[in-house]
Amino acid sequence: MKAIVILGALALGRQDAGTVLRASWGAPANLDPQRAATLAESRYVSALFEGLTAAGADGAGPGAAERWDVSADGLTWTFALREAAWSDGVPVVAQDFVTAWQRALRPDTGCAFAPLFRVFRNAGPWLEAAEADLLLTKDDPGEGRLAQVARKRHAAALKRRGYAKAAEAAEGRPDVADKDLGFEAVGARTLRVRLERRTPWLPELLSFMCFSPLPERTLTKHGAAWVKAGNIVTNGAFLLEAATPVDLTLRRNPAWRERPAAGSPERVLVEFHSAEVALRKFKEGRLDWVAGE
């Protein structure tokens, strides 16, 4: 279940609903959707960002996409995005998803879940090409990247110098560019996805955090610090208001497309505790929710 659904449900029945929900989650190492890797981080990401679909108790339903159509062969999915805005007021568009997914596939991003993107047409060869480029750069840095060198000549040179593994990678590297990947923005609010094979569970897959969109302008401006309080721009129900080594505060996103549910909190104060301390504070009434790791 999405963290935002849980937060709303827990707030119902609180005497001071609409103020602060006090919770204890694990501390996040990263709030970047394409770099986050743990269950604890997924709770934060799902509160801050919304993907095309949203996970729920009965499976995935509409999220940033209000509906989608599937071709007769099951290989082409077309997602129609809602009219929605980022927390800075800029509209959420299909290109925000394309940019995020392309970024997830780049090795320098360090996305632990990049293999999940292999469901998209040409994503597998793209990843293999990227891995080959890394291998070649590591084994033969003097030759440069394959994009700058003719493959056959490069492979022959590697063989002469004894780099057999790198030569094999050079010869077998697929020619796949970003434009060849199986997802594209065909309009401001239309995203088309082409798959390698039928994937009926695609809506469930797309609710996972690594498929969240990206405000590229914010990443460009702040670099890796784009997810820090004061810099971060989100399209989910909450904003990151503040963060310290021992806690962080989420605040309702005023640009969120939906009205807050009855009883949902304006703020969520998340404290980082050991399981023992969290349970004790919960029993003492000083925490409203203790989540397992």
Side-chain angles (χ1 to χ4, degrees), residues 164-188:
K165 188 175 182 181
E168 181 181 352
E171 291 177 330
R173 179 191 188 277
D175 285 325
V176 181
D178 286 354
K179 64 180 179 60
D180 300 319
L181 292 168
F183 44 85
E184 61 177 333
V186 293

Side-chain angles (χ1 to χ4, degrees), residues 131-194:
E131 291 166 2
D133 281 355
L134 284 178
L135 177 62
L136 290 164
T137 303
K138 177 181 179 181
D139 284 359
D140 191 22
E143 292 289 342
R145 293 179 68 82
L146 282 175
Q148 303 168 349
V149 182
R151 179 190 301 162
K152 290 184 178 180
R153 292 181 59 188
H154 187 53
L158 289 171
K159 285 181 179 178
R160 288 195 301 271
R161 298 174 63 179
Y163 296 113
K165 188 175 182 181
E168 181 181 352
E171 291 177 330
R173 179 191 188 277
D175 285 325
V176 181
D178 286 354
K179 64 180 179 60
D180 300 319
L181 292 168
F183 44 85
E184 61 177 333
V186 293
R189 291 167 52 194
T190 305
L191 180 71
R192 181 173 297 148
V193 168
R194 293 185 172 88

